[in-house]
Amino acid sequence: LAVSPRLSDEIRACHDAALHYAPHLRTIERQRFEGLLQGLSDGSVRLHEARKAVQVWAVRYDKTFVRSHSFFRPYPGILCDG
């Protein structure tokens, strides 16, 4: 916790998680998510937006590992913004 994660690591974690859902996603959903990742890279999108997209897919496609992973649920529900 003393060292903040690098942005590239956060983007990679989101991208890797999205790969779990790739077979289920429509082209437009994949393109939108790639746009979110690009936005993360250039600073126009906040990390919680990409996390939220992955969380929605985790619920929709029942991927327990991603739903329970602390990267995607870093705070108790009551403390989350949005």
Side-chain angles (χ1 to χ4, degrees):
L1 294 175
V3 178
S4 296
R6 293 181 307 199
L7 179 61
S8 61
D9 292 336
E10 293 174 328
I11 292 171
R12 187 176 317 115
C14 289
H15 182 267
D16 290 349
L19 291 177
H20 289 282
Y21 308 110
H24 305 289
L25 301 176
R26 297 179 312 213
T27 301
I28 190 78
E29 290 175 303
R30 287 192 299 270
Q31 290 172 341
R32 181 178 178 278
F33 191 73
E34 288 298 323
L36 281 175
L37 296 182
Q38 182 60 42
L40 271 174
S41 181
D42 66 27
S44 64
V45 171
R46 293 177 50 200
L47 180 59
H48 84 274
E49 294 178 61
R51 282 181 176 156
K52 185 57 108 177
V54 173
Q55 289 170 352
V56 167
W57 296 335
V59 170
R60 185 185 309 164
Y61 302 114
D62 195 27
K63 295 285 187 177
T64 305
F65 169 75
V66 173
R67 285 191 359 226
S68 63
H69 197 283
S70 63
F71 180 78
F72 296 101
R73 304 212 30 106
Y75 313 107
I78 195 156
L79 298 177
C80 291
D81 54 302

PDB file of all heavy atoms in Angstrom, residues 12-51:
ATOM      1  N   ARG A  12      -3.624  -2.865 -17.722  1.00  0.00           N
ATOM      2  CA  ARG A  12      -3.423  -4.278 -18.058  1.00  0.00           C
ATOM      3  C   ARG A  12      -4.399  -5.170 -17.284  1.00  0.00           C
ATOM      4  O   ARG A  12      -4.960  -6.118 -17.837  1.00  0.00           O
ATOM      5  CB  ARG A  12      -1.990  -4.700 -17.774  1.00  0.00           C
ATOM      6  CG  ARG A  12      -1.701  -6.123 -18.261  1.00  0.00           C
ATOM      7  CD  ARG A  12      -0.248  -6.562 -18.100  1.00  0.00           C
ATOM      8  NE  ARG A  12       0.687  -5.540 -18.484  1.00  0.00           N
ATOM      9  CZ  ARG A  12       1.532  -4.932 -17.626  1.00  0.00           C
ATOM     10  NH1 ARG A  12       1.549  -5.253 -16.356  1.00  0.00           N
ATOM     11  NH2 ARG A  12       2.368  -4.018 -18.048  1.00  0.00           N
ATOM     12  N   ALA A  13      -4.622  -4.866 -16.016  1.00  0.00           N
ATOM     13  CA  ALA A  13      -5.557  -5.661 -15.211  1.00  0.00           C
ATOM     14  C   ALA A  13      -6.967  -5.584 -15.794  1.00  0.00           C
ATOM     15  O   ALA A  13      -7.663  -6.603 -15.896  1.00  0.00           O
ATOM     16  CB  ALA A  13      -5.556  -5.190 -13.764  1.00  0.00           C
ATOM     17  N   CYS A  14      -7.386  -4.401 -16.188  1.00  0.00           N
ATOM     18  CA  CYS A  14      -8.714  -4.235 -16.795  1.00  0.00           C
ATOM     19  C   CYS A  14      -8.789  -4.985 -18.127  1.00  0.00           C
ATOM     20  O   CYS A  14      -9.772  -5.667 -18.415  1.00  0.00           O
ATOM     21  CB  CYS A  14      -9.025  -2.759 -17.005  1.00  0.00           C
ATOM     22  SG  CYS A  14      -9.324  -1.851 -15.483  1.00  0.00           S
ATOM     23  N   HIS A  15      -7.750  -4.846 -18.930  1.00  0.00           N
ATOM     24  CA  HIS A  15      -7.729  -5.518 -20.237  1.00  0.00           C
ATOM     25  C   HIS A  15      -7.769  -7.028 -20.071  1.00  0.00           C
ATOM     26  O   HIS A  15      -8.532  -7.727 -20.756  1.00  0.00           O
ATOM     27  CB  HIS A  15      -6.486  -5.096 -21.016  1.00  0.00           C
ATOM     28  CG  HIS A  15      -6.412  -5.682 -22.375  1.00  0.00           C
ATOM     29  ND1 HIS A  15      -5.746  -6.853 -22.630  1.00  0.00           N
ATOM     30  CD2 HIS A  15      -6.947  -5.272 -23.548  1.00  0.00           C
ATOM     31  CE1 HIS A  15      -5.866  -7.147 -23.911  1.00  0.00           C
ATOM     32  NE2 HIS A  15      -6.591  -6.202 -24.488  1.00  0.00           N
ATOM     33  N   ASP A  16      -6.963  -7.555 -19.164  1.00  0.00           N
ATOM     34  CA  ASP A  16      -6.933  -9.002 -18.940  1.00  0.00           C
ATOM     35  C   ASP A  16      -8.281  -9.522 -18.454  1.00  0.00           C
ATOM     36  O   ASP A  16      -8.730 -10.596 -18.866  1.00  0.00           O
ATOM     37  CB  ASP A  16      -5.839  -9.374 -17.955  1.00  0.00           C
ATOM     38  CG  ASP A  16      -4.444  -9.186 -18.533  1.00  0.00           C
ATOM     39  OD1 ASP A  16      -4.320  -8.965 -19.756  1.00  0.00           O
ATOM     40  OD2 ASP A  16      -3.471  -9.239 -17.753  1.00  0.00           O
ATOM     41  N   ALA A  17      -8.928  -8.773 -17.576  1.00  0.00           N
ATOM     42  CA  ALA A  17     -10.246  -9.186 -17.095  1.00  0.00           C
ATOM     43  C   ALA A  17     -11.253  -9.176 -18.240  1.00  0.00           C
ATOM     44  O   ALA A  17     -12.099 -10.073 -18.343  1.00  0.00           O
ATOM     45  CB  ALA A  17     -10.716  -8.270 -15.976  1.00  0.00           C
ATOM     46  N   ALA A  18     -11.162  -8.182 -19.112  1.00  0.00           N
ATOM     47  CA  ALA A  18     -12.089  -8.098 -20.237  1.00  0.00           C
ATOM     48  C   ALA A  18     -11.927  -9.285 -21.182  1.00  0.00           C
ATOM     49  O   ALA A  18     -12.898  -9.699 -21.834  1.00  0.00           O
ATOM     50  CB  ALA A  18     -11.889  -6.787 -20.996  1.00  0.00           C
ATOM     51  N   LEU A  19     -10.741  -9.849 -21.248  1.00  0.00           N
ATOM     52  CA  LEU A  19     -10.525 -11.019 -22.108  1.00  0.00           C
ATOM     53  C   LEU A  19     -11.396 -12.203 -21.696  1.00  0.00           C
ATOM     54  O   LEU A  19     -11.767 -13.020 -22.535  1.00  0.00           O
ATOM     55  CB  LEU A  19      -9.050 -11.421 -22.108  1.00  0.00           C
ATOM     56  CG  LEU A  19      -8.100 -10.462 -22.805  1.00  0.00           C
ATOM     57  CD1 LEU A  19      -6.662 -10.950 -22.653  1.00  0.00           C
ATOM     58  CD2 LEU A  19      -8.474 -10.286 -24.266  1.00  0.00           C
ATOM     59  N   HIS A  20     -11.734 -12.279 -20.409  1.00  0.00           N
ATOM     60  CA  HIS A  20     -12.618 -13.352 -19.933  1.00  0.00           C
ATOM     61  C   HIS A  20     -13.997 -13.259 -20.583  1.00  0.00           C
ATOM     62  O   HIS A  20     -14.687 -14.256 -20.735  1.00  0.00           O
ATOM     63  CB  HIS A  20     -12.802 -13.281 -18.411  1.00  0.00           C
ATOM     64  CG  HIS A  20     -11.595 -13.670 -17.643  1.00  0.00           C
ATOM     65  ND1 HIS A  20     -11.214 -14.977 -17.458  1.00  0.00           N
ATOM     66  CD2 HIS A  20     -10.666 -12.909 -17.018  1.00  0.00           C
ATOM     67  CE1 HIS A  20     -10.110 -15.017 -16.745  1.00  0.00           C
ATOM     68  NE2 HIS A  20      -9.759 -13.778 -16.464  1.00  0.00           N
ATOM     69  N   TYR A  21     -14.394 -12.059 -20.939  1.00  0.00           N
ATOM     70  CA  TYR A  21     -15.741 -11.831 -21.460  1.00  0.00           C
ATOM     71  C   TYR A  21     -15.787 -11.661 -22.963  1.00  0.00           C
ATOM     72  O   TYR A  21     -16.874 -11.598 -23.534  1.00  0.00           O
ATOM     73  CB  TYR A  21     -16.345 -10.590 -20.789  1.00  0.00           C
ATOM     74  CG  TYR A  21     -16.262 -10.660 -19.303  1.00  0.00           C
ATOM     75  CD1 TYR A  21     -15.416  -9.831 -18.600  1.00  0.00           C
ATOM     76  CD2 TYR A  21     -17.001 -11.607 -18.603  1.00  0.00           C
ATOM     77  CE1 TYR A  21     -15.317  -9.926 -17.227  1.00  0.00           C
ATOM     78  CE2 TYR A  21     -16.897 -11.706 -17.236  1.00  0.00           C
ATOM     79  CZ  TYR A  21     -16.054 -10.863 -16.551  1.00  0.00           C
ATOM     80  OH  TYR A  21     -15.947 -10.967 -15.197  1.00  0.00           O
ATOM     81  N   ALA A  22     -14.658 -11.568 -23.607  1.00  0.00           N
ATOM     82  CA  ALA A  22     -14.599 -11.284 -25.044  1.00  0.00           C
ATOM     83  C   ALA A  22     -15.534 -12.155 -25.882  1.00  0.00           C
ATOM     84  O   ALA A  22     -16.205 -11.632 -26.782  1.00  0.00           O
ATOM     85  CB  ALA A  22     -13.163 -11.379 -25.546  1.00  0.00           C
ATOM     86  N   PRO A  23     -15.630 -13.454 -25.612  1.00  0.00           N
ATOM     87  CA  PRO A  23     -16.521 -14.271 -26.438  1.00  0.00           C
ATOM     88  C   PRO A  23     -18.004 -13.883 -26.307  1.00  0.00           C
ATOM     89  O   PRO A  23     -18.796 -14.160 -27.200  1.00  0.00           O
ATOM     90  CB  PRO A  23     -16.317 -15.695 -25.921  1.00  0.00           C
ATOM     91  CG  PRO A  23     -15.027 -15.676 -25.186  1.00  0.00           C
ATOM     92  CD  PRO A  23     -14.877 -14.282 -24.667  1.00  0.00           C
ATOM     93  N   HIS A  24     -18.360 -13.237 -25.220  1.00  0.00           N
ATOM     94  CA  HIS A  24     -19.758 -12.894 -24.970  1.00  0.00           C
ATOM     95  C   HIS A  24     -20.128 -11.487 -25.434  1.00  0.00           C
ATOM     96  O   HIS A  24     -21.311 -11.173 -25.542  1.00  0.00           O
ATOM     97  CB  HIS A  24     -20.066 -12.986 -23.471  1.00  0.00           C
ATOM     98  CG  HIS A  24     -19.723 -14.300 -22.868  1.00  0.00           C
ATOM     99  ND1 HIS A  24     -20.431 -15.455 -23.132  1.00  0.00           N
ATOM    100  CD2 HIS A  24     -18.726 -14.658 -22.025  1.00  0.00           C
ATOM    101  CE1 HIS A  24     -19.890 -16.455 -22.466  1.00  0.00           C
ATOM    102  NE2 HIS A  24     -18.857 -16.002 -21.789  1.00  0.00           N
ATOM    103  N   LEU A  25     -19.134 -10.661 -25.666  1.00  0.00           N
ATOM    104  CA  LEU A  25     -19.391  -9.243 -25.924  1.00  0.00           C
ATOM    105  C   LEU A  25     -19.638  -8.964 -27.398  1.00  0.00           C
ATOM    106  O   LEU A  25     -19.036  -9.588 -28.270  1.00  0.00           O
ATOM    107  CB  LEU A  25     -18.212  -8.390 -25.442  1.00  0.00           C
ATOM    108  CG  LEU A  25     -17.867  -8.509 -23.967  1.00  0.00           C
ATOM    109  CD1 LEU A  25     -16.631  -7.688 -23.668  1.00  0.00           C
ATOM    110  CD2 LEU A  25     -19.039  -8.075 -23.112  1.00  0.00           C
ATOM    111  N   ARG A  26     -20.507  -7.996 -27.625  1.00  0.00           N
ATOM    112  CA  ARG A  26     -20.722  -7.529 -28.983  1.00  0.00           C
ATOM    113  C   ARG A  26     -19.559  -6.633 -29.375  1.00  0.00           C
ATOM    114  O   ARG A  26     -18.844  -6.103 -28.520  1.00  0.00           O
ATOM    115  CB  ARG A  26     -22.033  -6.748 -29.079  1.00  0.00           C
ATOM    116  CG  ARG A  26     -23.257  -7.598 -28.762  1.00  0.00           C
ATOM    117  CD  ARG A  26     -24.509  -6.788 -28.853  1.00  0.00           C
ATOM    118  NE  ARG A  26     -24.309  -5.525 -28.117  1.00  0.00           N
ATOM    119  CZ  ARG A  26     -25.253  -4.875 -27.470  1.00  0.00           C
ATOM    120  NH1 ARG A  26     -26.474  -5.333 -27.459  1.00  0.00           N
ATOM    121  NH2 ARG A  26     -24.997  -3.759 -26.840  1.00  0.00           N
ATOM    122  N   THR A  27     -19.381  -6.446 -30.654  1.00  0.00           N
ATOM    123  CA  THR A  27     -18.294  -5.610 -31.158  1.00  0.00           C
ATOM    124  C   THR A  27     -18.349  -4.217 -30.560  1.00  0.00           C
ATOM    125  O   THR A  27     -17.323  -3.672 -30.140  1.00  0.00           O
ATOM    126  CB  THR A  27     -18.353  -5.534 -32.699  1.00  0.00           C
ATOM    127  OG1 THR A  27     -18.256  -6.864 -33.217  1.00  0.00           O
ATOM    128  CG2 THR A  27     -17.221  -4.700 -33.244  1.00  0.00           C
ATOM    129  N   ILE A  28     -19.525  -3.635 -30.476  1.00  0.00           N
ATOM    130  CA  ILE A  28     -19.665  -2.282 -29.951  1.00  0.00           C
ATOM    131  C   ILE A  28     -19.231  -2.209 -28.481  1.00  0.00           C
ATOM    132  O   ILE A  28     -18.634  -1.219 -28.040  1.00  0.00           O
ATOM    133  CB  ILE A  28     -21.097  -1.734 -30.154  1.00  0.00           C
ATOM    134  CG1 ILE A  28     -21.171  -0.245 -29.825  1.00  0.00           C
ATOM    135  CG2 ILE A  28     -22.100  -2.479 -29.311  1.00  0.00           C
ATOM    136  CD1 ILE A  28     -20.632   0.613 -30.902  1.00  0.00           C
ATOM    137  N   GLU A  29     -19.514  -3.258 -27.710  1.00  0.00           N
ATOM    138  CA  GLU A  29     -19.098  -3.286 -26.309  1.00  0.00           C
ATOM    139  C   GLU A  29     -17.579  -3.358 -26.193  1.00  0.00           C
ATOM    140  O   GLU A  29     -16.983  -2.668 -25.365  1.00  0.00           O
ATOM    141  CB  GLU A  29     -19.721  -4.474 -25.582  1.00  0.00           C
ATOM    142  CG  GLU A  29     -21.213  -4.353 -25.370  1.00  0.00           C
ATOM    143  CD  GLU A  29     -21.794  -5.602 -24.766  1.00  0.00           C
ATOM    144  OE1 GLU A  29     -21.623  -6.696 -25.355  1.00  0.00           O
ATOM    145  OE2 GLU A  29     -22.429  -5.487 -23.701  1.00  0.00           O
ATOM    146  N   ARG A  30     -16.953  -4.177 -27.031  1.00  0.00           N
ATOM    147  CA  ARG A  30     -15.490  -4.276 -27.020  1.00  0.00           C
ATOM    148  C   ARG A  30     -14.856  -2.949 -27.436  1.00  0.00           C
ATOM    149  O   ARG A  30     -13.879  -2.501 -26.829  1.00  0.00           O
ATOM    150  CB  ARG A  30     -15.020  -5.402 -27.933  1.00  0.00           C
ATOM    151  CG  ARG A  30     -15.290  -6.780 -27.349  1.00  0.00           C
ATOM    152  CD  ARG A  30     -14.555  -7.869 -28.116  1.00  0.00           C
ATOM    153  NE  ARG A  30     -14.946  -7.945 -29.510  1.00  0.00           N
ATOM    154  CZ  ARG A  30     -15.927  -8.699 -29.978  1.00  0.00           C
ATOM    155  NH1 ARG A  30     -16.645  -9.441 -29.148  1.00  0.00           N
ATOM    156  NH2 ARG A  30     -16.205  -8.718 -31.256  1.00  0.00           N
ATOM    157  N   GLN A  31     -15.427  -2.310 -28.451  1.00  0.00           N
ATOM    158  CA  GLN A  31     -14.885  -1.033 -28.913  1.00  0.00           C
ATOM    159  C   GLN A  31     -15.021   0.043 -27.841  1.00  0.00           C
ATOM    160  O   GLN A  31     -14.098   0.830 -27.628  1.00  0.00           O
ATOM    161  CB  GLN A  31     -15.590  -0.586 -30.189  1.00  0.00           C
ATOM    162  CG  GLN A  31     -15.247  -1.426 -31.378  1.00  0.00           C
ATOM    163  CD  GLN A  31     -16.092  -1.099 -32.595  1.00  0.00           C
ATOM    164  OE1 GLN A  31     -17.167  -0.495 -32.491  1.00  0.00           O
ATOM    165  NE2 GLN A  31     -15.608  -1.517 -33.755  1.00  0.00           N
ATOM    166  N   ARG A  32     -16.155   0.070 -27.175  1.00  0.00           N
ATOM    167  CA  ARG A  32     -16.367   1.056 -26.117  1.00  0.00           C
ATOM    168  C   ARG A  32     -15.370   0.836 -24.985  1.00  0.00           C
ATOM    169  O   ARG A  32     -14.801   1.781 -24.445  1.00  0.00           O
ATOM    170  CB  ARG A  32     -17.793   0.974 -25.576  1.00  0.00           C
ATOM    171  CG  ARG A  32     -18.050   2.012 -24.493  1.00  0.00           C
ATOM    172  CD  ARG A  32     -19.496   1.958 -23.984  1.00  0.00           C
ATOM    173  NE  ARG A  32     -19.688   2.931 -22.937  1.00  0.00           N
ATOM    174  CZ  ARG A  32     -19.352   2.760 -21.657  1.00  0.00           C
ATOM    175  NH1 ARG A  32     -18.812   1.622 -21.267  1.00  0.00           N
ATOM    176  NH2 ARG A  32     -19.556   3.701 -20.768  1.00  0.00           N
ATOM    177  N   PHE A  33     -15.138  -0.423 -24.625  1.00  0.00           N
ATOM    178  CA  PHE A  33     -14.199  -0.706 -23.555  1.00  0.00           C
ATOM    179  C   PHE A  33     -12.779  -0.327 -23.954  1.00  0.00           C
ATOM    180  O   PHE A  33     -12.031   0.223 -23.143  1.00  0.00           O
ATOM    181  CB  PHE A  33     -14.271  -2.182 -23.145  1.00  0.00           C
ATOM    182  CG  PHE A  33     -13.521  -2.456 -21.885  1.00  0.00           C
ATOM    183  CD1 PHE A  33     -14.018  -2.031 -20.663  1.00  0.00           C
ATOM    184  CD2 PHE A  33     -12.307  -3.120 -21.908  1.00  0.00           C
ATOM    185  CE1 PHE A  33     -13.319  -2.258 -19.483  1.00  0.00           C
ATOM    186  CE2 PHE A  33     -11.610  -3.351 -20.739  1.00  0.00           C
ATOM    187  CZ  PHE A  33     -12.118  -2.917 -19.529  1.00  0.00           C
ATOM    188  N   GLU A  34     -12.403  -0.606 -25.197  1.00  0.00           N
ATOM    189  CA  GLU A  34     -11.077  -0.186 -25.661  1.00  0.00           C
ATOM    190  C   GLU A  34     -10.951   1.334 -25.590  1.00  0.00           C
ATOM    191  O   GLU A  34      -9.892   1.866 -25.253  1.00  0.00           O
ATOM    192  CB  GLU A  34     -10.821  -0.685 -27.090  1.00  0.00           C
ATOM    193  CG  GLU A  34     -10.587  -2.168 -27.185  1.00  0.00           C
ATOM    194  CD  GLU A  34      -9.361  -2.651 -26.416  1.00  0.00           C
ATOM    195  OE1 GLU A  34      -8.336  -1.929 -26.385  1.00  0.00           O
ATOM    196  OE2 GLU A  34      -9.425  -3.742 -25.828  1.00  0.00           O
ATOM    197  N   GLY A  35     -12.054   2.043 -25.859  1.00  0.00           N
ATOM    198  CA  GLY A  35     -12.068   3.493 -25.711  1.00  0.00           C
ATOM    199  C   GLY A  35     -11.874   3.920 -24.263  1.00  0.00           C
ATOM    200  O   GLY A  35     -11.178   4.901 -23.983  1.00  0.00           O
ATOM    201  N   LEU A  36     -12.497   3.175 -23.343  1.00  0.00           N
ATOM    202  CA  LEU A  36     -12.292   3.455 -21.919  1.00  0.00           C
ATOM    203  C   LEU A  36     -10.828   3.270 -21.530  1.00  0.00           C
ATOM    204  O   LEU A  36     -10.260   4.093 -20.817  1.00  0.00           O
ATOM    205  CB  LEU A  36     -13.160   2.527 -21.055  1.00  0.00           C
ATOM    206  CG  LEU A  36     -14.623   2.872 -20.889  1.00  0.00           C
ATOM    207  CD1 LEU A  36     -15.333   1.770 -20.103  1.00  0.00           C
ATOM    208  CD2 LEU A  36     -14.800   4.204 -20.202  1.00  0.00           C
ATOM    209  N   LEU A  37     -10.219   2.208 -22.020  1.00  0.00           N
ATOM    210  CA  LEU A  37      -8.816   1.972 -21.706  1.00  0.00           C
ATOM    211  C   LEU A  37      -7.927   3.057 -22.293  1.00  0.00           C
ATOM    212  O   LEU A  37      -6.967   3.502 -21.648  1.00  0.00           O
ATOM    213  CB  LEU A  37      -8.375   0.589 -22.190  1.00  0.00           C
ATOM    214  CG  LEU A  37      -9.049  -0.609 -21.525  1.00  0.00           C
ATOM    215  CD1 LEU A  37      -8.469  -1.908 -22.065  1.00  0.00           C
ATOM    216  CD2 LEU A  37      -8.931  -0.545 -20.017  1.00  0.00           C
ATOM    217  N   GLN A  38      -8.247   3.512 -23.501  1.00  0.00           N
ATOM    218  CA  GLN A  38      -7.488   4.609 -24.101  1.00  0.00           C
ATOM    219  C   GLN A  38      -7.670   5.875 -23.275  1.00  0.00           C
ATOM    220  O   GLN A  38      -6.723   6.627 -23.052  1.00  0.00           O
ATOM    221  CB  GLN A  38      -7.923   4.839 -25.553  1.00  0.00           C
ATOM    222  CG  GLN A  38      -7.152   5.936 -26.243  1.00  0.00           C
ATOM    223  CD  GLN A  38      -5.656   5.665 -26.297  1.00  0.00           C
ATOM    224  OE1 GLN A  38      -5.237   4.543 -26.568  1.00  0.00           O
ATOM    225  NE2 GLN A  38      -4.853   6.676 -26.027  1.00  0.00           N
ATOM    226  N   GLY A  39      -8.889   6.113 -22.810  1.00  0.00           N
ATOM    227  CA  GLY A  39      -9.163   7.259 -21.963  1.00  0.00           C
ATOM    228  C   GLY A  39      -8.400   7.196 -20.646  1.00  0.00           C
ATOM    229  O   GLY A  39      -7.932   8.212 -20.132  1.00  0.00           O
ATOM    230  N   LEU A  40      -8.276   6.000 -20.090  1.00  0.00           N
ATOM    231  CA  LEU A  40      -7.460   5.828 -18.886  1.00  0.00           C
ATOM    232  C   LEU A  40      -6.019   6.230 -19.164  1.00  0.00           C
ATOM    233  O   LEU A  40      -5.386   6.925 -18.373  1.00  0.00           O
ATOM    234  CB  LEU A  40      -7.468   4.364 -18.437  1.00  0.00           C
ATOM    235  CG  LEU A  40      -8.548   3.912 -17.496  1.00  0.00           C
ATOM    236  CD1 LEU A  40      -8.471   2.408 -17.300  1.00  0.00           C
ATOM    237  CD2 LEU A  40      -8.418   4.606 -16.169  1.00  0.00           C
ATOM    238  N   SER A  41      -5.531   5.790 -20.303  1.00  0.00           N
ATOM    239  CA  SER A  41      -4.156   6.063 -20.681  1.00  0.00           C
ATOM    240  C   SER A  41      -3.882   7.555 -20.846  1.00  0.00           C
ATOM    241  O   SER A  41      -2.847   8.051 -20.421  1.00  0.00           O
ATOM    242  CB  SER A  41      -3.842   5.324 -21.985  1.00  0.00           C
ATOM    243  OG  SER A  41      -2.511   5.544 -22.359  1.00  0.00           O
ATOM    244  N   ASP A  42      -4.833   8.270 -21.443  1.00  0.00           N
ATOM    245  CA  ASP A  42      -4.605   9.708 -21.676  1.00  0.00           C
ATOM    246  C   ASP A  42      -5.159  10.602 -20.571  1.00  0.00           C
ATOM    247  O   ASP A  42      -5.058  11.820 -20.630  1.00  0.00           O
ATOM    248  CB  ASP A  42      -5.122  10.143 -23.045  1.00  0.00           C
ATOM    249  CG  ASP A  42      -6.628  10.067 -23.204  1.00  0.00           C
ATOM    250  OD1 ASP A  42      -7.363  10.181 -22.197  1.00  0.00           O
ATOM    251  OD2 ASP A  42      -7.079   9.905 -24.353  1.00  0.00           O
ATOM    252  N   GLY A  43      -5.778   9.995 -19.561  1.00  0.00           N
ATOM    253  CA  GLY A  43      -6.224  10.758 -18.400  1.00  0.00           C
ATOM    254  C   GLY A  43      -7.620  11.341 -18.488  1.00  0.00           C
ATOM    255  O   GLY A  43      -8.047  12.057 -17.594  1.00  0.00           O
ATOM    256  N   SER A  44      -8.361  11.021 -19.542  1.00  0.00           N
ATOM    257  CA  SER A  44      -9.711  11.573 -19.695  1.00  0.00           C
ATOM    258  C   SER A  44     -10.794  10.706 -19.051  1.00  0.00           C
ATOM    259  O   SER A  44     -11.946  11.115 -18.978  1.00  0.00           O
ATOM    260  CB  SER A  44     -10.029  11.795 -21.182  1.00  0.00           C
ATOM    261  OG  SER A  44     -10.041  10.565 -21.874  1.00  0.00           O
ATOM    262  N   VAL A  45     -10.429   9.512 -18.596  1.00  0.00           N
ATOM    263  CA  VAL A  45     -11.367   8.581 -17.968  1.00  0.00           C
ATOM    264  C   VAL A  45     -10.788   8.156 -16.626  1.00  0.00           C
ATOM    265  O   VAL A  45      -9.581   7.929 -16.505  1.00  0.00           O
ATOM    266  CB  VAL A  45     -11.592   7.341 -18.880  1.00  0.00           C
ATOM    267  CG1 VAL A  45     -12.379   6.264 -18.173  1.00  0.00           C
ATOM    268  CG2 VAL A  45     -12.277   7.740 -20.172  1.00  0.00           C
ATOM    269  N   ARG A  46     -11.650   8.054 -15.634  1.00  0.00           N
ATOM    270  CA  ARG A  46     -11.215   7.592 -14.315  1.00  0.00           C
ATOM    271  C   ARG A  46     -11.267   6.066 -14.246  1.00  0.00           C
ATOM    272  O   ARG A  46     -12.084   5.429 -14.909  1.00  0.00           O
ATOM    273  CB  ARG A  46     -12.089   8.204 -13.239  1.00  0.00           C
ATOM    274  CG  ARG A  46     -11.887   9.726 -13.148  1.00  0.00           C
ATOM    275  CD  ARG A  46     -12.768  10.399 -12.158  1.00  0.00           C
ATOM    276  NE  ARG A  46     -12.727   9.743 -10.854  1.00  0.00           N
ATOM    277  CZ  ARG A  46     -13.674   9.894  -9.945  1.00  0.00           C
ATOM    278  NH1 ARG A  46     -14.721  10.664 -10.187  1.00  0.00           N
ATOM    279  NH2 ARG A  46     -13.587   9.274  -8.784  1.00  0.00           N
ATOM    280  N   LEU A  47     -10.417   5.514 -13.425  1.00  0.00           N
ATOM    281  CA  LEU A  47     -10.299   4.065 -13.298  1.00  0.00           C
ATOM    282  C   LEU A  47     -11.615   3.406 -12.920  1.00  0.00           C
ATOM    283  O   LEU A  47     -11.937   2.323 -13.413  1.00  0.00           O
ATOM    284  CB  LEU A  47      -9.216   3.716 -12.269  1.00  0.00           C
ATOM    285  CG  LEU A  47      -8.973   2.237 -12.009  1.00  0.00           C
ATOM    286  CD1 LEU A  47      -8.564   1.513 -13.283  1.00  0.00           C
ATOM    287  CD2 LEU A  47      -7.903   2.074 -10.932  1.00  0.00           C
ATOM    288  N   HIS A  48     -12.411   4.044 -12.083  1.00  0.00           N
ATOM    289  CA  HIS A  48     -13.648   3.393 -11.638  1.00  0.00           C
ATOM    290  C   HIS A  48     -14.607   3.143 -12.801  1.00  0.00           C
ATOM    291  O   HIS A  48     -15.425   2.235 -12.739  1.00  0.00           O
ATOM    292  CB  HIS A  48     -14.323   4.182 -10.510  1.00  0.00           C
ATOM    293  CG  HIS A  48     -15.197   5.292 -10.953  1.00  0.00           C
ATOM    294  ND1 HIS A  48     -14.725   6.554 -11.211  1.00  0.00           N
ATOM    295  CD2 HIS A  48     -16.521   5.322 -11.198  1.00  0.00           C
ATOM    296  CE1 HIS A  48     -15.734   7.321 -11.595  1.00  0.00           C
ATOM    297  NE2 HIS A  48     -16.829   6.595 -11.592  1.00  0.00           N
ATOM    298  N   GLU A  49     -14.507   3.907 -13.891  1.00  0.00           N
ATOM    299  CA  GLU A  49     -15.384   3.664 -15.043  1.00  0.00           C
ATOM    300  C   GLU A  49     -15.048   2.333 -15.716  1.00  0.00           C
ATOM    301  O   GLU A  49     -15.947   1.577 -16.083  1.00  0.00           O
ATOM    302  CB  GLU A  49     -15.275   4.819 -16.035  1.00  0.00           C
ATOM    303  CG  GLU A  49     -15.813   6.125 -15.484  1.00  0.00           C
ATOM    304  CD  GLU A  49     -15.642   7.269 -16.457  1.00  0.00           C
ATOM    305  OE1 GLU A  49     -16.210   7.185 -17.569  1.00  0.00           O
ATOM    306  OE2 GLU A  49     -14.944   8.236 -16.102  1.00  0.00           O
ATOM    307  N   ALA A  50     -13.781   2.046 -15.881  1.00  0.00           N
ATOM    308  CA  ALA A  50     -13.373   0.769 -16.470  1.00  0.00           C
ATOM    309  C   ALA A  50     -13.694  -0.383 -15.512  1.00  0.00           C
ATOM    310  O   ALA A  50     -14.169  -1.441 -15.942  1.00  0.00           O
ATOM    311  CB  ALA A  50     -11.887   0.790 -16.807  1.00  0.00           C
ATOM    312  N   ARG A  51     -13.455  -0.165 -14.237  1.00  0.00           N
ATOM    313  CA  ARG A  51     -13.791  -1.202 -13.247  1.00  0.00           C
ATOM    314  C   ARG A  51     -15.280  -1.513 -13.278  1.00  0.00           C
ATOM    315  O   ARG A  51     -15.682  -2.673 -13.195  1.00  0.00           O
ATOM    316  CB  ARG A  51     -13.421  -0.737 -11.841  1.00  0.00           C
ATOM    317  CG  ARG A  51     -11.981  -0.834 -11.504  1.00  0.00           C
ATOM    318  CD  ARG A  51     -11.779  -0.373 -10.082  1.00  0.00           C
ATOM    319  NE  ARG A  51     -10.402  -0.532  -9.674  1.00  0.00           N
ATOM    320  CZ  ARG A  51      -9.847   0.166  -8.709  1.00  0.00           C
ATOM    321  NH1 ARG A  51     -10.540   1.067  -8.037  1.00  0.00           N
ATOM    322  NH2 ARG A  51      -8.593  -0.029  -8.388  1.00  0.00           N
TER     323      ARG A  51
END
